[in-house]
Amino acid sequence: MDELYLDNIDEYVNDHNKIVTYKWLSLTLGVHVNTAKQMLYHYLEHKRKESSPQLHATYLVSGKLEDKGQMCHKVSVVREDQLEDFKSKMSLIVSVHVYSVQKALLKDSGPLYSVDYDAIKDNLKNCSRYSAIRCARAVPMSAAELQQVQEIQRAPPSAPENKKSAMNGDANIASKPSSKPQKGIMGMFANKSAPKNQDNSKDVKPEPKEESPVPEAPKTKPAAKSSPMANFFGKKPEKPVEKQQEAQLAIASEQQHQRTTAEEPAAVQLHKETKADSGSKTKRMEESDSEEEKMEKKKRRRIKKPQPDSSDEDVIPDSPPQMKTSEPSPKKEPETVQHSHMSSGTKIRRRRKVLKSRTFKDEEGCIVTEKDYVSESYSETEDDFQSTKQAPRNNNKAKPTSSSKDDDKKTQKKSSASSNKGSKQASIMGFFQKK
Amino acid sequence: MFSDLSAQREGSSLLCRPASEDQGPVFERTSLDYSPRTERYRVGERSFNRQYAHIYAARLMEMRPLLSERAKHKWGKNVHIRKLCDLETGEQCCIVGTLFKRMDLQPSILKEISEEHNLLPQPARNKYITEADELILEDELQRIKLEGKIDRDKCVTGSVIAIFGAEKNDGKFTVEDFCMADLPSQTPRPTLSCDKFVLLASGLGLGSSKADSMLGLQLLVDMVTGQLGDAGEQSGAATISRVLLAGNLLSQSTQDKDASTKAKYLTKKTQAGSVEAIRLLDELLLQLVASVPVDVMPGQYDPTNYTLPQQPLHRCMFPLSSVYPTLQLVSNPYEANIDGVRFLGTSGQNVCDIKKYSSMDSHLEILEETLRLRHLAPTAPDTLGCYPFYQRDPFMLEECPHVYFSGNAPVFESKLIRGSDGQEVLLVTVPDFSSTQTACLVNLRTLRCEPAFFSAFSADEDEESEMNISH
């Protein structure tokens, strides 16, 4: 073994006036901790033989100590002069080695800690690389595993939530979900069966909670899909969860279809709900929700989603209609990750799939054209509404020059939305439709 | 013992020149089976619409059959077990109910804010018991005052016991004897072939203004991760297969009360004390989790909810260390099966609370008392904050643990107790590390516990050595 390290240590101790601890040395030179300890000892010996300027050392002593009848394992850092004293007090000595070498005599062991702290700070990732113990399980998880863990963490707490809410029966004012309507909703989404006309007032609130505990993957997806609708009734935070879930799990096309078909009856049902009178607050919220509000919520929610997703593109925070439109073919495009959603949330009655090509600018400023099946709503008013949405979308990516135009479009969109809700007239936005 | 284990290994002394091209020994950390039991103490969605009466009802309902059994066992099969409403004066019988201790000094918010009393807020006291305290037994419908052969100062509110005696003419029940539910049944632990250790530590006290204990903490981490000591010690440290941090990872000084009372414009740019402390903790945990599985329990001063059961700390606070699967963030109280040995413990809030409201001073004694009462925290929800559970009381012990611990004790104490049905429990009071620099090593094979003391030197040399001996 080359003796270069002696010079290295010499440099650190004498020239830089550092306190060289074994850990610092091991991390700096990239050697095993035991080797570092031995190096320090060697250096100390070497220097003492040469009778160079005085060096001080601290040692680590560990062993067994008898204390008030209790045997305890003691580990301590001591100065060289205290070493023999300590050794004599112990009943059994397990190990002794050099802890640090420095020029000045240390009165306090505080600086030792700061040296080690700095050494570790600089090498956070490999703090265990040179230690003498390896743990097979201590391997950092990959990003995918991490997200799975996060999912699991979110899902179980909602399961006890359900049970809790069930148990809160007497004193709790919040409505209790009964198991039957629960099954009904799940049945609706899982089996593509005709929607049952149940009183969904209770189900609305616990719906997002109920969805998540369902363990099966296929079920979670329709569940997640349906919860966007429930989300309209106030549960915004659920959305990023579902989006993540969907982003991760491979989206099979059958499930997509299932989703879309499931959403349709759900949409129909929700629509009926909104019309029906109910006493629950969520219903009231529903009724007061205008389409634009929902669109905005969707928009807001979508912006939240991109954060966990690193492979984000600008398309995602784009206007809501994209969600609707690109839903059926997410697997083809990377940005379809955004589609979890709801698109259908609004009162769209019918849909048809139309092959459309859309042009947009992605984040690098490149204009991208894509063709995909877009689920467009069928009825007249919806058509206009849809087209108004698309128009602003196309304009959104245009650079600053058209920013004011964007604002205009947005306000127009809002106004058109509100106007659409009220009347069924063809709106002025028809002008900006086909580009 | 741990030290013996380490000393037995052959390792050359490190007081020598480095051998050529020797990389140094690398030992494998012994792994063990671990299965946590987290569902019991998890509270999902919380609703505080309920009264606390439900917990007491659930507690009594579950304990009543157990206590009736014990009563029959102790006082004969023919003992009458009566409900309070069926009591007849003069008849010797047994009653089962929840104890309530009426203490004058018990802080009561109603008294404080009541105008007719004109009381100033009372300072916190060490003990709230007085001579004038009264014991009352309550069951589902009624309550009755107790007197007689029952140690009033040792009892705490919320314990469910069975009492044998008779009602005298003045409406009080004279106690002749009483019994508690005692230890529950225990599944025998498997015999292990080799020594495996679990390190218990609590009260790390990060973020405090005085950083005396930081080197001690670093020594602890270094020892566990195998950096400290020579080959023998390192191989010994490889047998430490799990680390359990039992609460109070942050020091009390991070709980800045002033922040809420100070004006916002003064506190705008200041960060909460706990932010820096959590960052320190994350770095510390990173060093640990890269080498050993760690369970982190929250404590009284940690950033989680105040009421028991305290929910696990959130993983977003530990960006560096939560990447490792070896980090387990668990609730307080905590229960897990580590290699067949059942661990159950808290961060010490339940024990401290009982200490304030009874005459018992030793944490170990209180720990044993809670085990015999078969309830982790009898004073919850009376004086100890607790979530209003509805149909269950999760603090009841259903199965007897093998290792029962509580954190943040002033000193290290451990005791092995045996139950009437052959149960064997190791009671451990984990000392507060920031003040005692001591952690505990539990040997899973022999079920013994040994303290491990970490020290550094300081300017007052003589005092230091004195302290080391007499701790």
Side-chain angles (χ1 to χ4, degrees):
Chain A
M1 183 170 233
D2 47 357
E3 308 276 311
L4 280 176
Y5 61 84
L6 284 178
D7 297 326
N8 277 338
I9 302 175
D10 197 29
E11 191 189 325
Y12 294 131
V13 175
N14 282 325
D15 303 342
H16 300 283
N17 223 352
K18 275 189 152 77
I19 300 174
V20 180
T21 60
Y22 74 92
K23 205 198 270 189
W24 186 89
L25 194 68
S26 129
L27 286 169
T28 316
L29 295 182
V31 291
H32 192 273
V33 281
N34 288 3
T35 320
K37 294 166 196 163
Q38 288 170 328
M39 282 181 185
L40 281 178
Y41 179 76
H42 186 199
Y43 173 73
L44 208 59
E45 242 186 359
H46 180 73
K47 280 292 172 182
R48 293 248 165 97
K49 274 187 224 157
E50 287 180 5
S51 65
S52 353
Q54 193 164 37
L55 287 174
H56 294 97
T58 57
Y59 286 82
L60 183 99
V61 183
S62 79
K64 208 154 90 163
L65 187 70
E66 171 97 32
D67 172 42
K68 281 187 278 193
Q70 167 102 52
M71 297 303 282
C72 84
H73 182 78
K74 185 159 163 176
V75 176
S76 40
V77 177
V78 295
R79 290 204 293 262
E80 206 162 2
D81 38 350
Q82 300 165 315
L83 180 62
E84 293 308 315
D85 198 28
F86 256 82
K87 276 164 82 168
S88 60
K89 283 179 189 149
M90 301 225 174
S91 57
L92 172 69
I93 297 184
V94 175
S95 66
V96 181
H97 67 77
V98 181
Y99 190 85
S100 77
V101 173
Q102 62 275 344
K103 235 162 71 165
L105 177 68
L106 282 179
K107 286 251 183 283
D108 191 40
S109 46
L112 291 174
Y113 170 69
S114 36
V115 168
D116 276 344
Y117 179 72
D118 292 331
I120 292 167
K121 216 46 213 287
D122 297 329
N123 290 297
L124 274 178
K125 298 275 179 214
N126 339 335
C127 41
S128 265
R129 197 139 73 126
Y130 304 112
S131 84
I133 297 178
R134 279 267 177 281
C135 180
R137 279 193 284 161
V139 174
M141 297 189 283
S142 61
E145 286 175 326
L146 268 175
Q147 289 196 316
Q148 273 179 19
V149 169
Q150 281 172 16
E151 261 177 74
I152 294 167
Q153 275 193 348
R154 283 192 199 116
S158 42
E161 269 173 51
N162 279 338
K163 294 172 195 153
K164 286 274 177 254
S165 56
M167 289 201 302
N168 287 357
D170 301 354
N172 212 357
I173 307 166
S175 49
K176 226 193 309 189
S178 50
S179 54
K180 257 198 169 179
Q182 200 179 38
K183 276 187 202 153
I185 296 278
M186 289 317 302
M188 180 166 76
F189 293 135
N191 302 329
K192 309 184 215 173
S193 53
K196 295 183 195 170
N197 279 334
Q198 292 143 359
D199 184 7
N200 286 339
S201 60
K202 293 178 197 163
D203 295 337
V204 168
K205 227 183 189 175
E207 210 180 313
K209 295 180 203 164
E210 286 165 16
E211 321 294 23
S212 29
V214 175
E216 300 165 55
K219 272 200 173 175
T220 47
K221 274 193 274 121
K225 293 298 183 280
S226 63
S227 49
M229 273 167 274
N231 278 346
F232 281 164
F233 313 127
K235 287 275 173 196
K236 278 183 212 173
E238 296 284 335
K239 206 157 193 293
V241 179
E242 287 116 28
K243 286 181 185 169
Q244 264 196 342
Q245 290 173 347
E246 284 137 23
Q248 290 142 24
L249 304 168
I251 301 173
S253 54
E254 308 91 53
Q255 279 160 336
Q256 284 165 28
H257 290 307
Q258 186 185 17
R259 219 189 313 139
T260 45
T261 49
E263 275 173 87
E264 282 179 48
V268 172
Q269 187 167 15
L270 281 167
H271 187 76
K272 287 186 193 156
E273 273 177 46
T274 56
K275 299 297 180 198
D277 255 15
S278 77
S280 92
K281 291 181 195 167
T282 51
K283 277 287 180 66
R284 270 181 239 130
M285 262 182 70
E286 242 183 281
E287 282 159 356
S288 62
D289 251 0
S290 61
E291 276 190 2
E292 62 167 275
E293 230 180 279
K294 283 177 194 155
M295 286 301 140
E296 301 226 343
K297 276 191 195 166
K298 273 198 274 180
K299 197 174 187 173
R300 270 181 262 143
R301 261 170 281 171
R302 286 175 66 213
I303 293 170
K304 261 195 232 165
K305 195 250 174 179
Q307 273 142 25
D309 222 3
S310 53
S311 60
D312 223 352
E313 285 174 49
D314 257 1
V315 181
I316 297 170
D318 233 357
S319 59
Q322 264 192 351
M323 274 200 301
K324 278 191 218 172
T325 54
S326 42
E327 207 195 39
S329 55
K331 55 183 176 182
K332 291 178 191 159
E333 293 130 4
E335 62 265 18
T336 54
V337 160
Q338 27 166 318
H339 313 313
S340 4
H341 348 261
M342 1 179 124
S343 45
S344 54
T346 46
K347 297 154 188 170
I348 297 166
R349 292 286 194 128
R350 284 157 292 174
R351 281 199 165 138
R352 61 174 175 214
K353 293 198 181 141
V354 173
L355 183 63
K356 279 208 168 188
S357 73
R358 24 184 202 99
T359 314
F360 57 88
K361 259 195 181 174
D362 69 5
E363 63 187 334
E364 280 135 11
C366 312
I367 298 182
V368 182
T369 309
E370 262 151 3
K371 267 191 187 177
D372 58 354
Y373 282 95
V374 149
S375 153
E376 263 205 321
S377 48
Y378 201 48
S379 58
E380 231 177 55
T381 52
E382 262 35 85
D383 248 346
D384 292 342
F385 186 57
Q386 197 76 354
S387 52
T388 57
K389 288 277 157 70
Q390 281 170 6
R393 176 185 36 84
N394 286 339
N395 288 327
N396 269 353
K397 279 307 140 194
K399 289 309 173 188
T401 50
S402 52
S403 55
S404 55
K405 218 176 161 193
D406 284 349
D407 292 340
D408 285 342
K409 287 279 157 41
K410 281 179 190 161
T411 49
Q412 277 171 354
K413 180 179 73 178
K414 281 186 196 164
S415 54
S416 64
S418 46
S419 65
N420 266 353
K421 186 175 180 155
S423 64
K424 295 253 173 183
Q425 292 171 351
S427 83
I428 197 176
M429 292 310 291
F431 271 149
F432 303 100
Q433 191 175 6
K434 306 248 166 54
K435 248 210 162 170
Chain B
M1 288 276 100
F2 186 70
S3 330
D4 296 324
L5 199 69
S6 315
Q8 274 161 25
R9 312 281 164 133
E10 284 157 27
S12 55
S13 163
L14 285 173
L15 293 172
C16 66
R17 296 175 126 193
S20 54
E21 304 302 333
D22 192 359
Q23 256 307 295
V26 174
F27 304 99
E28 272 298 315
R29 173 83 60 191
T30 43
S31 65
L32 31 64
D33 293 321
Y34 169 72
S35 60
R37 292 164 176 278
T38 50
E39 322 79 36
R40 205 176 159 81
Y41 302 110
R42 286 292 221 136
V43 183
E45 183 179 274
R46 274 154 250 200
S47 156
F48 289 89
N49 287 337
R50 284 191 296 273
Q51 300 258 343
Y52 286 105
H54 299 289
I55 305 186
Y56 286 117
R59 201 184 284 182
L60 186 58
M61 201 164 69
E62 267 198 64
M63 298 274 257
R64 189 180 271 281
L66 302 168
L67 279 167
S68 312
E69 276 253 355
R70 288 263 176 227
K72 289 205 167 98
H73 189 72
K74 191 163 178 185
W75 300 309
K77 284 210 177 25
N78 301 327
V79 66
H80 300 290
I81 300 182
R82 295 243 181 270
K83 296 229 166 169
L84 286 178
C85 45
D86 302 328
L87 273 185
E88 289 171 32
T89 32
E91 185 202 5
Q92 266 211 341
C93 59
C94 161
I95 48 176
V96 173
T98 318
L99 270 182
F100 176 74
K101 189 157 87 168
R102 184 187 295 144
M103 296 170 278
D104 288 329
L105 289 177
Q106 182 178 350
S108 160
I109 186 68
L110 296 175
K111 279 192 200 157
E112 268 184 40
I113 61 176
S114 155
E115 277 154 13
E116 63 187 39
H117 284 255
N118 272 339
L119 278 180
L120 297 163
Q122 299 292 318
R125 297 167 73 101
N126 236 353
K127 294 257 181 219
Y128 292 92
I129 51 173
T130 55
E131 278 305 306
D133 296 337
E134 283 177 337
L135 268 184
I136 296 164
L137 191 80
E138 286 187 11
D139 74 358
E140 293 94 346
L141 300 171
Q142 292 186 337
R143 48 158 47 184
I144 191 164
K145 276 203 191 137
L146 297 177
E147 57 186 13
K149 290 186 196 154
I150 185 163
D151 190 353
R152 180 201 58 208
D153 288 329
K154 266 186 86 174
C155 297
V156 283
T157 304
S159 6
V160 185
I161 56 174
I163 295 187
F164 186 70
E167 187 192 351
K168 293 289 185 281
N169 282 334
D170 57 355
K172 293 196 189 165
F173 196 90
T174 311
V175 180
E176 283 164 37
D177 198 4
F178 70 96
C179 84
M180 302 189 271
D182 221 4
L183 279 70
S185 63
Q186 186 186 62
T187 46
R189 64 189 169 93
T191 41
L192 295 167
S193 49
C194 57
D195 279 322
K196 284 188 194 173
F197 289 89
V198 171
L199 183 89
L200 296 171
S202 78
L204 303 183
L206 291 170
S208 72
S209 38
K210 48 186 181 79
D212 297 346
S213 63
M214 293 308 285
L215 184 61
L217 199 54
Q218 191 62 51
L219 289 175
L220 171 71
V221 173
D222 286 343
M223 186 194 87
V224 172
T225 54
Q227 308 206 359
L228 216 58
D230 62 6
E233 172 138 18
Q234 284 162 344
S235 66
T239 58
I240 299 179
S241 32
R242 200 160 194 98
V243 172
L244 224 157
L245 300 174
N248 280 356
L249 308 158
L250 266 51
S251 105
Q252 188 177 10
S253 50
T254 57
Q255 303 257 302
D256 193 5
K257 292 270 157 47
D258 293 338
S260 50
T261 49
K262 254 183 163 174
K264 279 280 184 252
Y265 70 93
L266 287 171
T267 58
K268 203 165 184 185
K269 293 275 168 72
T270 55
Q271 225 179 31
S274 45
V275 173
E276 184 64 26
I278 284 283
R279 201 182 51 79
L280 272 176
L281 179 64
D282 192 25
E283 283 164 9
L284 195 86
L285 283 179
L286 177 66
Q287 295 172 53
L288 275 177
V289 293
S291 172
V292 67
V294 183
D295 292 333
V296 181
M297 286 168 67
Q300 193 180 356
Y301 306 124
D302 293 327
T304 183
N305 56 314
Y306 163 73
T307 53
L308 282 192
Q310 282 185 303
Q311 299 302 289
L313 297 166
H314 201 280
R315 48 182 293 119
C316 69
M317 292 196 281
F318 305 107
L320 298 169
S321 37
S322 58
V323 197
Y324 286 85
T326 42
L327 178 73
Q328 288 272 338
L329 298 163
V330 294
S331 59
N332 167 30
Y334 171 56
E335 191 175 359
N337 243 334
I338 300 180
D339 229 13
V341 178
R342 203 189 185 95
F343 275 70
L344 172 65
T346 63
S347 297
Q349 290 116 314
N350 54 334
V351 174
C352 288
D353 198 60
I354 295 177
K355 188 169 158 181
K356 279 196 277 185
Y357 294 99
S358 77
S359 60
M360 296 186 276
D361 271 324
S362 152
H363 278 233
L364 196 69
E365 196 189 336
I366 297 175
L367 207 60
E368 188 177 347
E369 195 69 15
T370 58
L371 190 62
R372 296 226 181 260
L373 280 171
R374 217 189 270 211
H375 200 276
L376 271 180
T379 52
D382 186 39
T383 43
L384 184 63
C386 164
Y387 172 75
F389 287 102
Y390 182 51
Q391 274 171 355
R392 63 185 184 116
D393 183 355
F395 300 114
M396 278 184 43
L397 299 172
E398 280 174 2
E399 216 188 293
C400 193
H402 297 105
V403 178
Y404 186 43
F405 65 91
S406 87
N408 298 298
V411 287
F412 165 78
E413 282 171 300
S414 89
K415 186 164 138 183
L416 194 70
I417 62 169
R418 291 188 198 280
S420 51
D421 294 330
Q423 301 106 326
E424 209 184 34
V425 188
L426 173 70
L427 301 175
V428 183
T429 54
V430 187
D432 180 47
F433 196 88
S434 55
S435 53
T436 60
Q437 313 275 292
T438 315
C440 319
L441 281 161
V442 177
N443 187 337
L444 295 179
R445 184 177 63 89
T446 61
L447 219 61
R448 295 280 184 279
C449 186
E450 186 191 2
F453 184 67
F454 300 87
S455 73
F457 58 89
S458 69
D460 339 300
E461 191 190 321
D462 294 313
E463 278 180 284
E464 178 71 34
S465 50
E466 297 270 283
M467 236 162 53
N468 289 344
I469 300 294
S470 61
H471 91 284

